[in-house]
Amino acid sequence: PSPFRDKQALVAAEIARVPGREFEAMRLYEDAREAAEAGGFVQNVAICHEVAARFYLQRKFVAFARLCLQAARSAYATWGADGKVKDLDRRYPSLAERRPLL
């Protein structure tokens, strides 16, 4: 896979999100994550999950957002981004405590 495919798909997802093309954005977030995984870019996998989580939270899809945030946290931890893991824990304490996100 192209080393930029994941990044291109993530930017395209954000471009689709802005005018409200939600289904297209959802597909592109998933394309971005898959491309990042295929390319072995764990840091980009984390970013894809985190950005998708914000998308789902804004639309009150809390269960999807939780899954994305958990996956983002795990990918950041795998990458060794301890500061980012702490940031997610601070912003979303319910991830560890299993409380509602909103």
Side-chain angles (χ1 to χ4, degrees):
S2 166
F4 299 105
R5 189 171 140 235
D6 59 315
K7 297 157 198 69
Q8 184 274 330
L10 187 58
V11 169
E14 288 292 279
I15 290 170
R17 176 188 59 81
V18 171
R21 296 190 323 260
E22 294 180 344
F23 291 115
E24 182 181 356
M26 289 172 14
R27 181 185 54 77
L28 288 162
Y29 287 127
E30 185 64 12
D31 288 351
R33 183 202 53 80
E34 287 177 356
E37 285 182 353
F41 304 118
V42 70
Q43 70 278 20
N44 294 348
V45 170
I47 292 167
C48 291
H49 279 300
E50 185 178 3
V51 172
R54 283 196 302 261
F55 170 85
Y56 290 121
L57 275 176
Q58 289 171 349
R59 284 147 188 83
K60 308 293 188 219
F61 291 114
V62 178
F64 288 121
R66 178 181 297 282
L67 291 172
C68 289
L69 286 170
Q70 289 169 336
R73 187 185 187 285
S74 176
Y76 283 128
T78 298
W79 189 41
D82 298 331
K84 190 60 182 175
V85 170
K86 288 177 185 176
D87 176 59
L88 287 178
D89 288 346
R90 180 188 56 77
R91 287 190 293 141
Y92 305 103
S94 62
L95 284 176
E97 299 170 10
R98 301 278 184 207
R99 290 183 300 142
L101 292 172
L102 299 176

